[in-house]
Amino acid sequence: MKIVILERNSVGTDVSVDCIRDFGEVTVYRNTVTVEEVKERIQDADIVIANKSPLNRETLEDAKNVKLICEFATGFDNCDLAYCSSRGIKVTNVRDYCTGMVAQHTFAMALALSEKLMHYDTYVKSGEYSSQDRFSNFDIPFYELEGKTWGIVGMGHIGRKVASIAKGFGCHVMFHSVTGKSSCKDYPQVDKDTLLAESDYLSLHCPLSELTKNFIDADALKKMKKTAVLINVARGKVVDNTALYEALMQGQIAAAGLDVVEEEPLKSSNPLSQIKDSTKLIITPHLAWASVEARQRCVWEAHENIAAFLRGEDRNVVNP
């Protein structure tokens, strides 16, 4: 088998991809972005491993041997599934490999914002703490999670993990199902307006779709508590970034933690890039999924998807 890894660096150079060589000749590219690069590099491939590279009619039509596309990711919006199905090309993704890490990062941001950790760390390191005449300092108020209401959008694996941790902190958990089809009975399901009005912490764990695009817009932000903290570890376009900037600057909500933004990497044209106050806004570079352990699992799960395919079995296939 001829296997092409288009975006080897998407899983980090500190994580080995050598296990993929179990299945044949592997050609590895550090990164692949343009249509022309994709077309040239997959021309003779039987199996393509990708993350964001466009895989559609334009890039695949001359790649006559491709039988399987493996995502180094859960998302597969870089693939034209209908076209792949018409060609008999199976597309697989990696599932539930970073649930614990995304949940962990959700709380890392929530706690940092709630406890104003950046401010107090800077206070100590600046020398101000050493020069004061008292043992403690709490010049900016900070708050407990216990007793607060934690709202969730997207009660899948990650949403449920976050809910269990929030409950462990003593939070009251509720959630909103965008589709209205959630089967979760462990926590109260509420409508959007109730979620916005009652959440002290609101974390987003939903996929991007027409239903979730700009789910948090100017109107939604106006309905939230002025003390609320918003966490987005889902997709950047679930939150209207301009509306969030205005809400933070006007004090409509207290703070936000974002691992994703509308266009990545963050552009200087995004108004959120102007906010330097880390007690108000924390932005991390789309890394909530990327612990060493999670990236290792991602590669191994892709390996297992290929192994299943070669045995004639469907494993994590996302197209009919």
Side-chain angles (χ1 to χ4, degrees):
M1 303 294 289
K2 292 186 177 182
I3 303 168
V4 173
I5 301 177
L6 290 175
E7 297 161 277
R8 187 260 177 277
N9 282 16
S10 68
V11 292
T13 55
D14 58 326
V15 169
S16 174
V17 298
D18 287 348
C19 63
I20 304 299
R21 300 187 189 280
D22 290 349
F23 306 113
E25 176 188 337
V26 180
T27 303
V28 178
Y29 296 98
R30 177 178 165 276
N31 197 26
T32 303
V33 178
T34 68
V35 167
E36 291 72 22
E37 286 176 333
V38 177
K39 290 177 69 172
E40 178 185 349
R41 293 173 178 181
I42 68 172
Q43 195 165 21
D44 297 322
D46 297 296
I47 297 173
V48 177
I49 301 176
N51 187 306
K52 303 293 184 186
S53 297
L55 294 165
N56 49 36
R57 181 183 298 275
E58 185 177 6
T59 56
L60 286 164
E61 63 182 350
D62 294 328
K64 303 299 183 183
N65 298 332
V66 174
K67 306 170 185 66
L68 176 68
I69 294 171
C70 292
E71 296 282 6
F72 268 163
T74 300
F76 44 85
D77 51 329
N78 61 313
C79 286
D80 182 337
L81 296 186
Y83 176 74
C84 289
S85 295
S86 73
R87 282 272 307 274
I89 299 171
K90 293 188 175 181
V91 180
T92 65
N93 70 345
V94 177
R95 302 175 188 178
D96 200 25
Y97 70 99
C98 60
T99 296
M101 185 59 230
V102 176
Q104 177 178 309
H105 195 69
T106 298
F107 284 91
M109 289 196 292
L111 290 167
L113 290 164
S114 297
E115 296 188 27
K116 313 300 181 187
L117 292 184
M118 303 293 231
H119 166 76
Y120 288 112
D121 180 61
T122 300
Y123 180 82
V124 172
K125 289 176 179 174
S126 70
E128 289 187 71
Y129 180 48
S130 299
S131 64
Q132 72 178 37
D133 59 1
R134 61 195 188 280
F135 78 94
S136 183
N137 178 61
F138 39 86
D139 58 332
I140 297 181
F142 54 93
Y143 303 92
E144 300 176 358
L145 267 65
E146 186 170 3
K148 303 300 191 299
T149 297
W150 192 292
I152 293 173
V153 180
M155 196 55 91
H157 290 297
I158 295 171
R160 288 172 189 253
K161 184 73 171 180
V162 167
S164 68
I165 297 170
K167 189 175 179 180
F169 271 111
C171 295
H172 307 295
V173 177
M174 62 183 182
F175 76 99
H176 173 70
S177 170
V178 176
T179 63
K181 297 178 181 178
S182 176
S183 61
C184 180
K185 304 297 183 186
D186 298 324
Y187 308 98
Q189 184 174 169
V190 298
D191 60 40
K192 182 177 180 179
D193 283 350
T194 300
L195 182 88
L196 295 170
E198 296 187 8
S199 294
D200 296 298
Y201 298 85
L202 177 57
S203 59
L204 309 176
H205 310 287
C206 52
L208 180 64
S209 69
E210 288 305 312
L211 291 174
T212 60
K213 186 177 181 181
N214 289 333
F215 182 84
I216 301 296
D217 57 10
D219 183 57
L221 289 159
K222 289 174 184 176
K223 295 176 181 178
M224 294 177 67
K225 294 181 179 181
K226 290 186 180 297
T227 55
V229 175
L230 174 69
I231 305 292
N232 185 14
V233 290
R235 289 290 181 264
K237 291 182 180 179
V238 174
V239 176
D240 182 327
N241 285 191
T242 300
L244 177 59
Y245 169 80
E246 296 295 339
L248 289 169
M249 296 305 292
Q250 295 170 15
Q252 289 178 350
I253 66 170
L258 309 176
D259 187 53
V260 287
V261 290
E262 286 179 340
E263 187 177 356
E264 297 171 349
L266 178 69
K267 307 298 182 187
S268 59
S269 57
N270 187 322
L272 291 173
S273 67
Q274 300 173 28
I275 299 178
K276 307 303 181 184
D277 182 355
S278 295
T279 67
K280 187 184 295 290
L281 175 67
I282 293 175
I283 302 178
T284 51
H286 203 144
L287 55 70
W289 64 278
S291 65
V292 172
E293 296 92 339
R295 288 182 285 119
Q296 289 171 337
R297 285 191 293 268
C298 181
V299 173
W300 183 252
E301 285 296 303
H303 173 280
E304 293 300 280
N305 287 343
I306 296 172
F309 171 78
L310 295 177
R311 293 194 302 267
E313 302 170 5
D314 283 350
R315 183 180 192 270
N316 295 334
V317 174
V318 297
N319 60 327

